[in-house]
Amino acid sequence: MNERGDAMGAFHDMPDLAGRVLGGSVLAASDESFEAKENLLNPWVPTFREGTFGPKGQEYDGWETARRRPDEHGDLGHDWALVRLGLAGVIRGVVIDTAWFKGNYPPHASVEACAVDGYPSVAELAAADWTEIVPRSPLDGDAAHAFPVDLERRFTHVRLNMFPDGGIARLRVHGDVVPDPALLAGLTVDLAALENGARVVRCSNMFYSSPDNMLFPGSARNQAEGWETARRRDLTGHDWAEIRLAAPGIVRVAEIDTTHLKFNAPAAVTLWGLDGRAADTGDPAAWRPLLPRTRVQPDTRHRFRVPGADEITHARLDLHPDGGMARLRLLGDLTPAGLTALTDRFQRLRDPQRDDGRPLLADRRPTAPPTARRP
């Protein structure tokens, strides 16, 4: 079986907290003379068509500012873009991608982050307490630059700085979602929702797309926005995904959504649960059935009651034999232990100091970052 394994440790496989599909938005920018700031969060791979000249010159799929000139003091200044994360959380890594910007990319960039509750204005964010999470670092043209972040704090916004000007195609902010427990306490919640902190921790196959997709908010707009496996030729087996729930809870309703999967939906599904505090997820005998093997239809939103369920921390969805899943919802109740776990984590990650008193951000000198050049 092909499990996610070590790949789960790479921040590239974590959700893009700034992603537009998760609610991220570019609130403001110092300049967008050539290309709009909103392009930074486009979900697709940056594209380019040579010879597409508009009123402002060659068109690029990214954010591009005007050329800066020194002021009377010889100061160039720098450009910046302010991003509200779609999902607040702990940032594990940042990708700054200068795809297709070859003669007009910025030579350096940095990233800052802050945590502001509610829905602050741009002016309020300007006065916030910002923390540098990526120091000023050199960039190359037409390359994706990956910067790991070692800072155990919950953030809500980031600010991308480029020195002094130029074009950046994409900004990705990968990390762990940390929800506000005040919005979940006492309510029926989706225990499998990414926005509530759930994640897929293992799966059998993710040939076409990530299984985390089925935990995204909203409805899938096409089959690419769900999870889809390769065609299984071993007819004795089946595909599966293991989900770590947002917190310990009791599942009351399971929603199995195969919308847009017309010819590649599974024939049937099975749903299992396990309390990871008392059992090993690797022990097949420890899993208890939540939903028996049940036939499902293509391009259909199914809802099933889950009677007499126990408190669990993990769920496993089996696809028989293979196929795709647009969305998985596990609606239920947080237990007292679950709410306590969420609250403790939320409060701990708002504290800017570790328990031992050391600053959370290690002393890191700017170095040439790893790059992924395009052919």
Side-chain angles (χ1 to χ4, degrees):
M1 291 185 180
N2 177 25
E3 299 183 4
R4 299 182 81 175
D6 293 341
M8 289 299 296
F11 72 77
H12 297 81
D13 289 323
M14 295 181 174
D16 178 8
L17 303 179
R20 185 64 183 167
V21 295
L22 295 180
S25 177
V26 186
L27 302 179
S30 57
D31 182 276
E32 46 185 333
S33 295
F34 285 110
E35 299 295 350
K37 62 185 184 298
E38 287 80 7
N39 290 337
L40 279 171
L41 305 186
N42 286 341
W44 55 84
V45 175
T47 60
F48 180 78
R49 282 180 23 183
E50 188 174 357
T52 52
F53 286 91
K56 298 180 181 181
Q58 171 66 50
E59 295 178 345
Y60 286 86
D61 183 9
W63 169 48
E64 186 181 6
T65 68
R67 299 188 188 214
R68 284 182 168 265
R69 300 295 187 239
D71 60 18
E72 62 272 20
H73 305 292
D75 183 15
L76 274 176
H78 73 275
D79 285 316
W80 52 267
L82 180 61
V83 177
R84 182 194 67 233
L85 300 181
L87 299 177
V90 178
I91 299 170
R92 302 299 185 187
V94 173
V95 177
I96 301 174
D97 192 347
T98 59
W100 305 108
F101 288 101
K102 300 179 180 180
N104 48 356
Y105 64 92
H108 295 86
S110 71
V111 181
E112 300 165 282
C114 73
V116 181
D117 292 333
Y119 305 93
S121 67
V122 172
E124 290 168 332
L125 288 168
D129 182 16
W130 290 87
T131 299
E132 185 178 72
I133 61 172
V134 175
R136 180 167 171 161
S137 302
L139 301 182
D140 291 326
D142 194 29
H145 307 75
F147 300 93
V149 176
D150 181 19
L151 184 56
E152 289 292 322
R153 284 180 59 186
R154 179 183 187 267
F155 290 113
T156 61
H157 298 75
V158 297
R159 184 164 59 197
L160 171 64
N161 303 302
M162 60 175 164
F163 304 93
D165 54 45
I168 293 175
R170 296 290 188 271
L171 174 69
R172 307 298 189 207
V173 183
H174 298 278
D176 293 315
V177 178
V178 181
D180 184 346
L183 300 175
L184 305 177
L187 303 175
T188 297
V189 299
D190 182 0
L191 297 169
L194 184 70
E195 62 184 343
N196 292 337
R199 280 294 311 277
V200 174
V201 292
R202 293 196 307 157
C203 73
S204 59
N205 185 282
M206 52 179 178
F207 185 85
Y208 288 108
S209 51
S210 169
D212 272 336
N213 289 358
M214 64 181 175
L215 311 185
F216 275 26
S219 300
R221 294 170 296 178
N222 53 58
Q223 71 177 33
E225 292 192 351
W227 169 44
E228 185 181 358
T229 71
R231 299 193 186 205
R232 177 175 282 271
R233 302 309 183 187
D234 173 15
L235 299 182
T236 62
H238 64 271
D239 286 319
W240 52 269
E242 181 184 313
I243 302 100
R244 185 198 66 224
L245 302 184
I250 298 175
V251 177
R252 306 294 186 184
V253 174
E255 183 173 305
I256 309 294
D257 188 351
T258 60
T259 299
H260 301 299
L261 297 159
K262 299 180 179 180
F263 307 106
N264 46 3
V269 300
T270 309
L271 189 65
W272 306 83
L274 176 146
D275 187 344
R277 299 165 299 181
D280 184 353
T281 59
D283 178 7
W287 292 90
R288 297 291 181 262
L290 299 179
L291 182 70
R293 181 163 175 160
T294 303
R295 187 184 66 175
V296 294
Q297 298 296 330
D299 195 26
T300 301
R301 181 169 168 249
H302 312 74
R303 290 168 68 86
F304 303 103
R305 289 294 299 261
V306 179
D310 297 323
E311 181 177 2
I312 61 172
T313 63
H314 292 71
R316 193 183 75 219
L317 176 67
D318 293 347
L319 307 182
H320 301 283
D322 56 23
M325 188 62 54
R327 293 291 186 267
L328 171 68
R329 310 289 188 214
L330 299 178
L331 307 176
D333 312 314
L334 289 171
T335 61
L339 182 59
T340 297
L342 280 181
T343 302
D344 288 349
R345 183 174 184 237
F346 179 77
Q347 293 177 343
R348 175 174 57 83
L349 293 173
R350 297 181 75 183
D351 184 352
Q353 297 288 322
R354 285 194 178 98
D355 292 338
D356 60 7
R358 290 184 295 114
L360 287 168
L361 184 60
D363 181 18
R364 291 177 305 187
R365 301 291 189 267
T367 57
T371 60
R373 290 190 174 278
R374 290 170 178 79

